Amino acid sequence: MLFIQVCVGSSCHLKGSQDIVSLLQEALKEYKIEDEVVLCGSFCIGKCNRVGVTIQVNDDVHVGVTRENFREFFKNNILDVIEHERK
């Protein structure tokens, strides 16, 4: 099971965390992996960045996630991790 926490604290909220949550929900459905992921919101993860949203995937914290780099983030940090866990 993969645990994904999206920061919804004030800084990330202003940088579009709602959009990132929506993109995550859509991508999880698109790849039919909703049952392998726990998606939740989190208040400040403590790694604020000037650009983008902070997301924690299991124990790894990723900063600067935006609409523009979302697909790359999703492939590298969610799809690839799930594929590795399946093996």
Side-chain angles (χ1 to χ4, degrees):
M1 186 68 61
L2 194 67
F3 293 89
I4 303 171
Q5 296 180 63
V6 179
C7 180
V8 294
S10 56
S11 179
C12 286
H13 173 76
L14 293 173
K15 295 176 196 154
S17 60
Q18 322 86 302
D19 292 338
I20 299 302
V21 169
S22 294
L23 288 171
L24 278 165
Q25 290 171 327
E26 292 168 12
L28 294 173
K29 285 181 186 176
E30 176 183 340
Y31 289 93
K32 297 176 177 43
I33 56 174
E34 306 103 304
D35 294 341
E36 299 178 64
V37 171
V38 174
L39 176 62
C40 61
S42 171
F43 286 102
C44 190
I45 296 173
K47 299 286 186 180
C48 296
N49 194 18
R50 290 182 180 207
V51 177
V53 175
T54 301
I55 299 176
Q56 184 169 341
V57 179
N58 289 338
D59 293 328
D60 298 322
V61 176
H62 306 275
V63 297
V65 179
T66 63
R67 286 183 142 299
E68 292 75 26
N69 66 17
F70 175 79
R71 284 289 169 190
E72 179 182 0
F73 163 80
F74 188 80
K75 186 212 176 296
N76 294 336
N77 301 289
I78 296 173
L79 287 181
D80 289 354
V81 171
I82 287 176
E83 286 297 321
H84 183 268
E85 285 183 353
R86 288 178 179 168
K87 293 180 181 178

